[in-house]
Coordinates of all heavy atoms in Angstrom, one line a residue:
M22 N -4.7 -13.5 4.1 CA -4.9 -12.1 3.9 C -3.6 -11.3 3.9 O -3.4 -10.4 3.2 CB -5.8 -11.5 5.0 CG -6.2 -10.1 4.8 SD -7.3 -10.0 3.4 CE -7.6 -8.3 3.3
A23 N -2.6 -11.8 4.6 CA -1.3 -11.2 4.7 C -0.6 -11.3 3.4 O 0.3 -10.5 3.0 CB -0.5 -11.7 5.8
F24 N -1.0 -12.3 2.6 CA -0.3 -12.5 1.3 C -0.6 -11.3 0.4 O 0.3 -10.8 -0.3 CB -0.9 -13.8 0.6 CG -0.4 -13.9 -0.8 CD1 0.8 -14.4 -1.0 CD2 -1.3 -13.7 -1.8 CE1 1.3 -14.5 -2.3 CE2 -0.9 -13.9 -3.1 CZ 0.4 -14.3 -3.4
F25 N -1.8 -10.8 0.5 CA -2.2 -9.7 -0.4 C -1.6 -8.3 0.2 O -1.6 -7.4 -0.6 CB -3.7 -9.5 -0.5 CG -4.3 -10.7 -1.3 CD1 -5.0 -11.7 -0.6 CD2 -4.0 -10.9 -2.6 CE1 -5.5 -12.7 -1.3 CE2 -4.5 -12.0 -3.3 CZ -5.3 -12.9 -2.6
L26 N -1.2 -8.3 1.4 CA -0.6 -7.1 2.0 C 0.8 -7.0 1.7 O 1.4 -6.0 2.0 CB -0.9 -7.1 3.5 CG -2.3 -7.0 3.9 CD1 -2.5 -7.0 5.4 CD2 -3.0 -5.7 3.3
T27 N 1.5 -8.1 1.3 CA 2.9 -8.0 0.9 C 3.0 -7.4 -0.5 O 2.5 -7.8 -1.4 CB 3.5 -9.4 0.9 OG1 3.2 -10.1 2.2 CG2 5.0 -9.4 0.7
P28 N 3.9 -6.4 -0.6 CA 4.0 -5.6 -1.9 C 4.8 -6.4 -2.9 O 6.0 -6.0 -3.1 CB 4.6 -4.3 -1.4 CG 5.4 -4.6 -0.2 CD 4.7 -5.7 0.5
V29 N 4.3 -7.4 -3.5 CA 5.0 -8.1 -4.5 C 4.8 -7.5 -5.9 O 5.7 -7.2 -6.6 CB 4.5 -9.6 -4.5 CG1 5.2 -10.4 -5.6 CG2 4.8 -10.2 -3.2
I30 N 3.6 -7.3 -6.3 CA 3.3 -6.7 -7.6 C 3.3 -5.3 -7.6 O 3.8 -4.7 -8.6 CB 1.9 -7.3 -8.1 CG1 1.9 -8.8 -8.2 CG2 1.5 -6.7 -9.3 CD1 0.6 -9.4 -8.4
Y31 N 2.8 -4.6 -6.6 CA 2.8 -3.1 -6.6 C 4.0 -2.6 -5.8 O 4.4 -3.2 -4.8 CB 1.5 -2.7 -6.0 CG 1.2 -3.2 -4.6 CD1 1.6 -2.5 -3.5 CD2 0.5 -4.4 -4.4 CE1 1.4 -2.9 -2.2 CE2 0.3 -4.8 -3.1 CZ 0.7 -4.1 -2.0 OH 0.5 -4.6 -0.8
P32 N 4.6 -1.5 -6.2 CA 5.6 -0.9 -5.5 C 5.2 -0.2 -4.2 O 4.0 0.1 -4.0 CB 6.2 0.2 -6.4 CG 5.3 0.2 -7.6 CD 4.3 -0.8 -7.5
I33 N 6.1 -0.1 -3.3 CA 5.8 0.5 -2.0 C 5.4 2.0 -2.1 O 4.6 2.4 -1.2 CB 7.0 0.3 -1.0 CG1 6.7 0.6 0.4 CG2 8.2 1.2 -1.5 CD1 5.8 -0.5 1.0
R34 N 5.7 2.6 -3.1 CA 5.4 4.1 -3.2 C 3.9 4.2 -3.4 O 3.3 5.3 -3.2 CB 6.2 4.7 -4.3 CG 5.9 4.3 -5.7 CD 6.6 5.0 -6.8 NE 6.4 4.6 -8.1 CZ 7.0 3.7 -8.7 NH1 8.2 3.2 -8.2 NH2 6.7 3.3 -9.9
Y35 N 3.2 3.2 -3.8 CA 1.7 3.3 -4.0 C 0.9 3.2 -2.7 O -0.2 3.5 -2.6 CB 1.2 2.2 -5.0 CG 1.6 2.5 -6.4 CD1 1.8 1.4 -7.3 CD2 1.8 3.7 -6.9 CE1 2.2 1.6 -8.6 CE2 2.2 4.0 -8.2 CZ 2.4 2.9 -9.0 OH 2.8 3.0 -10.3
V36 N 1.6 2.8 -1.7 CA 1.0 2.6 -0.3 C 1.1 4.0 0.3 O 2.1 4.6 0.4 CB 1.7 1.5 0.5 CG1 1.1 1.4 1.9 CG2 1.7 0.2 -0.2
P37 N 0.0 4.5 0.9 CA 0.0 5.7 1.6 C 1.1 5.7 2.8 O 1.3 4.7 3.4 CB -1.4 5.9 2.2 CG -2.2 5.0 1.4 CD -1.3 3.9 0.9
A38 N 1.7 6.9 3.1 CA 2.8 7.0 4.0 C 2.3 6.5 5.4 O 3.1 6.0 6.2 CB 3.3 8.4 4.1
M39 N 1.0 6.7 5.7 CA 0.5 6.4 7.0 C 0.5 4.9 7.2 O 0.7 4.3 8.3 CB -0.9 6.9 7.2 CG -1.1 7.9 8.3 SD -2.7 8.6 8.3 CE -3.8 7.3 8.1
L40 N 0.2 4.2 6.1 CA 0.1 2.7 6.2 C 1.4 1.9 6.0 O 1.5 0.7 6.3 CB -0.9 2.2 5.2 CG -2.3 2.8 5.4 CD1 -3.2 2.3 4.2 CD2 -2.9 2.3 6.7
R41 N 2.5 2.6 5.6 CA 3.8 2.0 5.4 C 4.3 1.4 6.7 O 5.1 0.5 6.7 CB 4.8 2.9 4.8 CG 4.4 3.2 3.3 CD 5.5 4.1 2.7 NE 4.9 4.5 1.4 CZ 5.4 5.5 0.7 NH1 6.5 6.2 1.2 NH2 4.9 5.9 -0.4
V42 N 4.0 2.1 7.8 CA 4.5 1.6 9.1 C 3.9 0.2 9.4 O 4.6 -0.7 9.8 CB 4.0 2.6 10.3 CG1 4.4 2.0 11.6 CG2 4.6 3.9 10.0
F43 N 2.6 0.0 9.1 CA 2.0 -1.3 9.3 C 2.5 -2.3 8.3 O 2.6 -3.5 8.6 CB 0.5 -1.2 9.2 CG -0.1 -0.3 10.3 CD1 -0.7 0.9 10.0 CD2 0.0 -0.7 11.6 CE1 -1.2 1.7 11.0 CE2 -0.6 0.1 12.6 CZ -1.2 1.3 12.3
L44 N 2.8 -1.8 7.1 CA 3.4 -2.8 6.1 C 4.8 -3.3 6.6 O 5.2 -4.4 6.3 CB 3.5 -2.1 4.8 CG 3.8 -2.9 3.6 CD1 2.8 -4.0 3.4 CD2 4.0 -2.1 2.3
G45 N 5.5 -2.4 7.3 CA 6.8 -2.9 7.9 C 6.7 -4.0 8.9 O 7.7 -4.6 9.2
L46 N 5.5 -4.1 9.5 CA 5.3 -5.2 10.5 C 5.2 -6.6 9.8 O 5.3 -7.6 10.5 CB 4.0 -4.9 11.3 CG 4.1 -3.7 12.1 CD1 2.8 -3.5 12.8 CD2 5.2 -3.7 13.1
N47 N 5.0 -6.6 8.5 CA 5.0 -7.9 7.8 C 6.4 -8.3 7.5 O 7.1 -7.6 6.8 CB 4.2 -7.6 6.5 CG 4.0 -8.9 5.7 OD1 4.6 -10.0 6.0 ND2 3.2 -8.8 4.6
P48 N 6.9 -9.4 8.0 CA 8.3 -9.8 7.8 C 8.7 -10.0 6.3 O 9.9 -9.7 5.9 CB 8.4 -11.1 8.5 CG 7.3 -11.1 9.5 CD 6.2 -10.3 8.9
M49 N 7.7 -10.4 5.5 CA 8.1 -10.6 4.1 C 8.2 -9.3 3.3 O 8.8 -9.2 2.2 CB 7.1 -11.5 3.4 CG 7.2 -13.0 3.8 SD 8.9 -13.6 3.5 CE 9.0 -13.5 1.7
A50 N 7.6 -8.2 3.8 CA 7.7 -6.9 3.1 C 9.1 -6.4 2.9 O 9.5 -6.0 1.8 CB 6.8 -5.9 3.8
G51 N 9.9 -6.6 3.9 CA 11.3 -6.2 3.9 C 12.1 -7.1 2.9 O 13.0 -6.6 2.2
V52 N 11.8 -8.3 2.9 CA 12.5 -9.3 1.9 C 12.2 -8.9 0.5 O 13.1 -8.8 -0.4 CB 12.1 -10.7 2.3 CG1 12.7 -11.6 1.2 CG2 12.5 -11.1 3.6
I53 N 10.9 -8.7 0.2 CA 10.5 -8.3 -1.1 C 11.1 -7.0 -1.6 O 11.6 -6.8 -2.7 CB 9.0 -8.3 -1.2 CG1 8.4 -9.6 -0.9 CG2 8.5 -7.7 -2.6 CD1 8.7 -10.7 -1.9
E54 N 11.1 -6.0 -0.6 CA 11.7 -4.7 -0.9 C 13.2 -4.8 -1.2 O 13.7 -4.2 -2.1 CB 11.4 -3.8 0.2 CG 11.8 -2.3 0.0 CD 10.9 -1.6 -1.1 OE1 9.8 -2.1 -1.3 OE2 11.4 -0.7 -1.6
G55 N 13.9 -5.7 -0.5 CA 15.3 -5.9 -0.7 C 15.6 -6.5 -2.0 O 16.5 -6.2 -2.7
F56 N 14.8 -7.5 -2.4 CA 14.9 -8.1 -3.7 C 14.6 -7.1 -4.8 O 15.3 -7.1 -5.9 CB 14.0 -9.3 -3.9 CG 14.7 -10.6 -3.4 CD1 14.3 -11.2 -2.2 CD2 15.6 -11.3 -4.1 CE1 14.9 -12.3 -1.8 CE2 16.2 -12.4 -3.7 CZ 15.8 -12.9 -2.5
R57 N 13.6 -6.3 -4.6 CA 13.3 -5.3 -5.7 C 14.5 -4.3 -5.8 O 14.8 -3.9 -6.9 CB 12.0 -4.6 -5.2 CG 11.5 -3.6 -6.3 CD 10.2 -2.9 -6.0 NE 9.2 -3.9 -6.2 CZ 8.2 -4.3 -5.4 NH1 8.1 -3.7 -4.2 NH2 7.3 -5.1 -5.7
H58 N 15.1 -3.9 -4.7 CA 16.2 -3.0 -4.7 C 17.4 -3.7 -5.5 O 18.0 -3.0 -6.3 CB 16.6 -2.6 -3.3 CG 17.9 -1.9 -3.2 ND1 18.1 -0.6 -3.7 CD2 19.1 -2.2 -2.7 CE1 19.3 -0.2 -3.5 NE2 19.9 -1.2 -2.9
A59 N 17.6 -4.9 -5.2 CA 18.8 -5.7 -5.8 C 18.6 -5.9 -7.2 O 19.5 -5.8 -8.0 CB 19.1 -7.0 -5.0
L60 N 17.4 -6.3 -7.6 CA 17.2 -6.8 -9.0 C 16.8 -5.6 -9.9 O 17.2 -5.6 -11.1 CB 16.1 -7.8 -9.1 CG 16.4 -9.1 -8.4 CD1 15.2 -10.1 -8.4 CD2 17.6 -9.8 -9.0
L61 N 16.0 -4.7 -9.4 CA 15.6 -3.6 -10.3 C 16.3 -2.3 -10.2 O 16.1 -1.4 -10.9 CB 14.0 -3.4 -10.1 CG 13.1 -4.6 -10.3 CD1 11.7 -4.3 -10.0 CD2 13.3 -5.1 -11.8
G62 N 17.0 -2.2 -9.1 CA 17.7 -0.9 -8.8 C 16.9 0.2 -8.3 O 17.3 1.3 -8.3
S63 N 15.7 -0.1 -7.7 CA 14.8 0.9 -7.2 C 15.4 1.3 -5.8 O 16.2 0.6 -5.2 CB 13.4 0.4 -7.0 OG 13.4 -0.7 -6.1
P64 N 15.1 2.5 -5.4 CA 15.6 3.0 -4.1 C 15.1 2.1 -2.9 O 14.0 1.7 -2.9 CB 15.1 4.4 -3.9 CG 14.0 4.5 -4.9 CD 14.2 3.5 -6.0
A65 N 16.0 1.8 -2.0 CA 15.7 0.9 -0.9 C 15.0 1.7 0.2 O 15.5 2.9 0.5 CB 16.9 0.2 -0.3
N66 N 14.0 1.2 0.8 CA 13.3 1.8 1.9 C 13.9 1.1 3.2 O 13.4 0.2 3.7 CB 11.8 1.6 1.9 CG 11.1 2.4 2.9 OD1 11.7 2.9 3.8 ND2 9.8 2.4 2.7
W67 N 15.0 1.7 3.7 CA 15.7 1.1 4.8 C 14.9 1.1 6.1 O 15.1 0.2 7.0 CB 17.0 1.8 5.0 CG 17.9 1.6 3.9 CD1 18.3 2.5 2.9 CD2 18.6 0.3 3.5 NE1 19.2 1.9 2.0 CE2 19.3 0.6 2.3 CE3 18.6 -0.9 4.0 CZ2 20.1 -0.4 1.7 CZ3 19.4 -1.9 3.4 CH2 20.1 -1.6 2.3
E68 N 14.0 2.0 6.3 CA 13.1 2.0 7.5 C 12.2 0.7 7.5 O 12.1 0.1 8.5 CB 12.3 3.2 7.6 CG 13.1 4.5 7.9 CD 13.6 5.0 6.6 OE1 13.2 4.7 5.5 OE2 14.6 5.9 6.7
M69 N 11.6 0.4 6.4 CA 10.8 -0.7 6.3 C 11.5 -2.0 6.4 O 11.1 -3.0 7.0 CB 9.9 -0.7 5.0 CG 8.9 -1.8 5.0 SD 7.8 -1.8 3.6 CE 9.0 -2.3 2.3
I70 N 12.7 -2.1 5.8 CA 13.5 -3.3 5.8 C 14.0 -3.5 7.3 O 14.0 -4.6 7.8 CB 14.7 -3.1 4.9 CG1 14.3 -3.2 3.4 CG2 15.8 -4.3 5.1 CD1 15.3 -2.9 2.4
G71 N 14.4 -2.4 8.0 CA 14.8 -2.6 9.4 C 13.6 -3.0 10.3 O 13.7 -3.8 11.2
A72 N 12.4 -2.4 10.0 CA 11.2 -2.8 10.8 C 10.9 -4.3 10.6 O 10.6 -5.0 11.5 CB 10.0 -1.9 10.5
S73 N 10.9 -4.7 9.3 CA 10.7 -6.1 9.0 C 11.7 -7.1 9.7 O 11.4 -8.1 10.2 CB 10.7 -6.4 7.5 OG 9.6 -5.7 6.9
L74 N 13.0 -6.6 9.7 CA 14.0 -7.4 10.3 C 13.8 -7.5 11.8 O 13.9 -8.5 12.5 CB 15.4 -6.8 10.1 CG 16.6 -7.5 10.8 CD1 16.8 -8.9 10.2 CD2 17.8 -6.6 10.5
G75 N 13.4 -6.4 12.5 CA 13.1 -6.4 13.9 C 11.9 -7.3 14.3 O 12.0 -8.0 15.2
V76 N 10.8 -7.2 13.4 CA 9.7 -8.1 13.7 C 10.1 -9.6 13.5 O 9.7 -10.4 14.3 CB 8.5 -7.7 12.7 CG1 7.4 -8.7 12.8 CG2 8.0 -6.3 13.2
S77 N 10.9 -9.8 12.5 CA 11.3 -11.2 12.2 C 12.1 -11.7 13.4 O 11.9 -12.9 13.9 CB 12.2 -11.3 11.0 OG 11.4 -10.9 9.9
L78 N 13.0 -10.9 13.9 CA 13.8 -11.3 15.1 C 13.0 -11.5 16.3 O 13.2 -12.5 17.1 CB 14.9 -10.4 15.3 CG 16.1 -10.3 14.3 CD1 17.1 -9.2 14.6 CD2 16.8 -11.7 14.2
A79 N 12.0 -10.6 16.5 CA 11.1 -10.8 17.7 C 10.3 -12.0 17.6 O 10.1 -12.7 18.6 CB 10.3 -9.5 17.8
L80 N 9.8 -12.4 16.4 CA 9.0 -13.6 16.3 C 9.9 -14.8 16.4 O 9.4 -15.8 17.0 CB 8.3 -13.6 14.8 CG 7.2 -12.7 14.7 CD1 6.7 -12.7 13.2 CD2 6.0 -13.1 15.5
F81 N 11.1 -14.7 16.0 CA 12.0 -15.9 16.1 C 12.3 -16.1 17.7 O 12.3 -17.3 18.1 CB 13.3 -15.6 15.4 CG 14.4 -16.7 15.7 CD1 14.3 -17.9 15.1 CD2 15.5 -16.4 16.4 CE1 15.2 -18.9 15.4 CE2 16.4 -17.3 16.7 CZ 16.3 -18.6 16.1
V82 N 12.6 -15.1 18.4 CA 12.9 -15.2 19.8 C 11.7 -15.7 20.6 O 11.8 -16.6 21.4 CB 13.5 -13.9 20.4 CG1 13.6 -13.9 21.9 CG2 14.8 -13.6 19.8
A83 N 10.5 -15.1 20.2 CA 9.3 -15.5 20.9 C 9.0 -17.0 20.6 O 8.6 -17.8 21.5 CB 8.1 -14.7 20.5
G84 N 9.2 -17.4 19.4 CA 9.0 -18.8 19.0 C 10.0 -19.8 19.7 O 9.6 -20.9 20.0
L85 N 11.2 -19.3 19.8 CA 12.2 -20.1 20.4 C 11.9 -20.3 22.0 O 12.0 -21.4 22.4 CB 13.6 -19.4 20.3 CG 14.8 -20.2 20.8 CD1 15.0 -21.4 20.0 CD2 16.0 -19.3 20.8
F86 N 11.5 -19.3 22.6 CA 11.1 -19.4 24.0 C 9.8 -20.3 24.1 O 9.8 -21.1 25.1 CB 10.8 -18.1 24.7 CG 12.1 -17.3 25.0 CD1 12.3 -16.0 24.6 CD2 13.0 -17.9 25.8 CE1 13.5 -15.3 24.9 CE2 14.2 -17.3 26.2 CZ 14.4 -16.0 25.7
F87 N 8.9 -20.1 23.3 CA 7.7 -21.0 23.3 C 8.0 -22.4 23.1 O 7.5 -23.3 23.8 CB 6.7 -20.5 22.3 CG 5.4 -21.3 22.3 CD1 4.5 -21.1 23.3 CD2 5.2 -22.2 21.3 CE1 3.3 -21.9 23.3 CE2 4.0 -22.9 21.3 CZ 3.1 -22.8 22.3
F88 N 8.9 -22.7 22.1 CA 9.3 -24.0 21.8 C 10.0 -24.7 23.0 O 9.8 -25.8 23.4 CB 10.2 -24.1 20.6 CG 10.6 -25.5 20.3 CD1 9.8 -26.4 19.7 CD2 11.9 -25.9 20.5 CE1 10.2 -27.7 19.4 CE2 12.4 -27.1 20.2 CZ 11.5 -28.1 19.7
R89 N 10.9 -23.9 23.6 CA 11.7 -24.5 24.8 C 10.8 -24.7 25.9 O 11.0 -25.7 26.6 CB 12.7 -23.4 25.2 CG 13.9 -23.2 24.2 CD 14.8 -24.4 24.2 NE 15.8 -24.1 23.3 CZ 16.7 -25.0 22.9 NH1 16.7 -26.2 23.4 NH2 17.6 -24.7 22.1
R90 N 9.7 -23.9 26.1 CA 8.8 -24.2 27.2 C 7.9 -25.4 26.9 O 7.6 -26.2 27.8 CB 8.0 -23.0 27.5 CG 7.2 -23.0 28.8 CD 6.4 -21.8 29.0 NE 5.1 -22.0 28.3 CZ 4.3 -21.1 28.0 NH1 4.5 -19.9 28.2 NH2 3.1 -21.4 27.4
M91 N 7.5 -25.6 25.7 CA 6.6 -26.7 25.4 C 7.4 -28.0 25.0 O 6.7 -29.0 24.7 CB 5.7 -26.2 24.2 CG 4.9 -25.0 24.5 SD 3.8 -25.2 25.9 CE 2.6 -26.4 25.2
E92 N 8.7 -27.9 24.9 CA 9.4 -29.1 24.4 C 9.3 -30.3 25.3 O 9.2 -31.4 24.8 CB 10.9 -28.7 24.3 CG 11.8 -29.7 23.7 CD 13.2 -29.1 23.5 OE1 13.6 -28.2 24.2 OE2 13.9 -29.7 22.7
R93 N 9.2 -30.1 26.5 CA 9.1 -31.3 27.5 C 7.8 -32.0 27.3 O 7.8 -33.3 27.3 CB 9.2 -30.8 28.9 CG 10.6 -30.2 29.2 CD 10.6 -29.8 30.7 NE 11.7 -28.8 30.7 CZ 11.5 -27.6 31.3 NH1 10.4 -27.2 31.8 NH2 12.6 -26.8 31.3
D94 N 6.7 -31.3 27.1 CA 5.4 -31.9 26.9 C 5.1 -32.4 25.5 O 4.2 -33.1 25.3 CB 4.3 -31.0 27.5 CG 4.5 -30.7 28.9 OD1 5.0 -31.5 29.7 OD2 4.1 -29.6 29.3
F95 N 5.8 -31.8 24.6 CA 5.5 -32.1 23.2 C 5.7 -33.5 22.8 O 4.9 -34.0 22.1 CB 6.4 -31.1 22.3 CG 6.1 -31.2 20.8 CD1 4.9 -30.7 20.3 CD2 7.0 -31.9 20.0 CE1 4.6 -30.8 19.0 CE2 6.7 -32.0 18.6 CZ 5.5 -31.4 18.1
A96 N 6.7 -34.1 23.2 CA 7.0 -35.5 22.9 C 5.9 -36.4 23.4 O 5.5 -37.4 22.8 CB 8.3 -36.0 23.3
D97 N 5.4 -36.1 24.6 CA 4.3 -36.9 25.2 C 3.0 -36.8 24.4 O 2.2 -37.8 24.4 CB 4.1 -36.5 26.6 CG 5.3 -36.7 27.5 OD1 6.1 -37.7 27.1 OD2 5.5 -36.0 28.5
V98 N 2.7 -35.7 23.8 CA 1.4 -35.5 23.1 C 1.5 -36.1 21.8 O 0.5 -36.7 21.4 CB 1.1 -33.9 23.0 CG1 -0.1 -33.7 22.1 CG2 1.0 -33.3 24.4
V99 N 2.6 -36.0 21.1 CA 2.8 -36.6 19.8 C 2.9 -38.1 19.9 O 2.3 -38.9 19.3 CB 4.0 -36.0 19.0 CG1 4.2 -36.7 17.7 CG2 3.8 -34.5 18.9

């Protein structure tokens, strides 16, 4: 379902302003918006790119802590 929520085909301006905050929680939305800005020259939405970057970093840190905690038992299970 998140695949369809990433604005690949449709531009971000078609999304209502209220829902753009939730779209920024999708880590790929900022990446797609950055590529659209670089390739097509459209105006960059820095708030959404920053929100996507923040969510990506938070997921990375949470995954790193989870992996470190489960690392000892992981080899025994596999």
Side-chain angles (χ1 to χ4, degrees):
M22 188 68 182
F24 173 75
F25 295 110
L26 296 177
T27 304
V29 176
I30 297 174
Y31 56 91
I33 192 70
R34 66 177 180 263
Y35 291 150
V36 177
M39 243 173 48
L40 299 176
R41 288 183 194 165
V42 175
F43 295 112
L44 191 60
L46 297 178
N47 184 351
M49 284 305 296
V52 174
I53 299 296
E54 188 69 20
F56 272 103
R57 185 175 283 131
H58 170 67
L60 296 175
L61 301 176
S63 63
N66 187 350
W67 294 107
E68 292 84 18
M69 188 178 67
I70 293 173
S73 294
L74 178 66
V76 169
S77 297
L78 289 175
L80 286 173
F81 173 73
V82 170
L85 186 66
F86 281 126
F87 180 74
F88 178 75
R89 293 287 181 188
R90 196 179 83 195
M91 301 301 288
E92 185 176 21
R93 293 181 204 130
D94 299 330
F95 183 70
D97 296 334
V98 173
V99 175

